[in-house]
Amino acid sequence: MSKVPSRTLNNGVTMPQLGFGVWQVPDDEATATVATALEAGYRSIDTAAVYGNERGTGRAVATSGIPRDEVFVTTKLWNTDQGYDSTLRAFDASLERLGLEYVDLYLIHWPVPARDTYIDTYRAFEKIYADGRARAIGVSNFLPGHLERLMDATSVVPVLNQIELHPQLAQSASRAFHARHDIATEAWSPLGQGKGLLEAPAVVAVARKHGRTPAQAVLRWHLQLGNIVIPKSSTPSRIRENIDVLGFELDADDLAAFAALDEGRRIGPDPAVFG
């Protein structure tokens, strides 16, 4: 299997472009699931405080036999912990649960504009970063307006924005904004949570053309767009399948077929109002 490509973030830190997400994986299953992913070749693991599986994730990293500096660990701050002091406390708790001395990437999970605390929250992130306890800091589910306000009020440009992104929600405006500001785009729900996307005739046709599964075709689309992508599965065969997307390439006709699927349709919450 080819080596997973990487992205150099705007602070010089290198991150695998293809990682593994653990949303909805129970803590008592997370150790085995993440261990399977690490054995399959993943070197980037994405968790969050609200997922309730930081302990299981950390155990898998600790017992994998892989040097800590070769595994890129991301976690996220939950909405109710936003605010300067509460962010620092929540980060300490995440590190304790993970059993780590640092994380590679720490993200604000949602902007929660109604609370209007993400600026103070991010200032706490800047302290965590300055103290070397997170190698990089960023955000998740931020709209361009949220990012503009954040960058105007703080000094460290987020390295990344993790957003819902799949062929039915291609997020062209956000990706263009990120590119202008050297912010990487990371896709959650990259396969559209299977809600019709993987059965779409265009996806099935592209997959068949390349002798691949629909999921592999969609993940290949993400990589060629330059997205960082974190598919999630608890099934060992699918975990291995999802990383086996490096030995083929979509052509212009394939990319055009995928582009025609964009409906601007969200599966998850709207960041403008959620929280």
Side-chain angles (χ1 to χ4, degrees):
M1 189 179 298
S2 303
K3 181 176 173 60
V4 171
S6 62
R7 287 283 306 272
T8 299
L9 305 175
N10 65 29
N11 68 343
V13 167
T14 299
M15 178 180 186
Q17 193 181 355
L18 177 60
F20 184 72
V22 296
W23 178 61
Q24 290 187 327
V25 178
D27 195 52
D28 60 356
E29 298 175 15
T31 301
T33 300
V34 173
T36 297
L38 293 170
E39 289 164 8
Y42 294 87
R43 291 296 180 268
S44 177
I45 308 297
D46 180 277
T47 184
V50 76
Y51 298 170
N53 56 23
E54 288 174 314
R55 291 192 190 279
T57 298
R59 280 194 296 271
V61 173
T63 59
S64 67
I66 301 167
R68 171 66 186 93
D69 62 1
E70 294 181 16
V71 182
F72 192 100
V73 178
T74 300
T75 194
K76 310 178 198 75
L77 176 86
W78 187 237
N79 304 344
T80 52
D81 290 319
Q82 283 201 30
Y84 189 89
D85 291 334
S86 52
T87 292
L88 296 178
R89 289 192 297 269
F91 180 73
D92 287 343
S94 280
L95 274 192
E96 188 277 327
R97 288 190 294 267
L98 286 162
L100 300 176
E101 294 183 359
Y102 67 92
V103 295
D104 297 277
L105 178 61
Y106 197 39
L107 304 178
I108 300 177
H109 208 148
W110 291 86
V112 197
R115 291 175 64 98
D116 195 24
T117 52
Y118 65 80
I119 301 296
D120 282 343
T121 297
Y122 196 75
R123 289 183 177 132
F125 272 51
E126 290 180 312
K127 174 173 172 50
I128 290 164
Y129 177 57
D131 290 346
R133 304 175 76 209
R135 297 176 63 229
I137 54 174
V139 297
S140 182
N141 299 302
F142 274 50
L143 299 173
H146 301 140
L147 282 167
E148 284 184 328
R149 182 169 175 239
L150 181 73
M151 290 188 290
D152 285 344
T154 60
S155 59
V156 178
V157 176
V159 299
L160 176 152
N161 187 16
Q162 184 185 120
I163 57 177
E164 180 186 346
L165 202 166
H166 43 78
Q168 293 170 325
L169 183 70
Q171 296 272 26
S172 299
S174 284
R175 287 191 292 111
F177 181 92
H178 298 162
R180 287 196 301 273
H181 296 279
D182 197 17
I183 297 169
T185 300
E186 183 173 28
W188 65 258
S189 233
L191 302 175
Q193 295 180 14
K195 295 182 187 276
L197 175 63
L198 300 184
E199 294 83 33
V203 174
V204 172
V206 169
R208 186 177 297 122
K209 171 180 168 181
H210 293 278
R212 298 286 178 151
T213 67
Q216 288 173 320
V218 172
L219 293 172
R220 185 70 216 174
W221 172 82
H222 280 285
L223 295 179
Q224 288 184 218
L225 258 60
N227 300 333
I228 296 169
V229 61
I230 45 169
K232 171 260 173 183
S233 178
S234 297
T235 307
S237 61
R238 288 207 185 102
I239 290 171
R240 290 187 286 269
E241 172 189 302
N242 287 344
I243 199 172
D244 187 17
V245 294
L246 307 173
F248 71 106
E249 191 161 330
L250 304 185
D251 61 27
D253 290 341
D254 302 331
L255 295 174
F258 274 88
L261 295 172
D262 187 11
E263 305 170 348
R265 180 175 63 84
R266 291 187 183 277
I267 296 168
D270 182 348
V273 296
F274 180 70

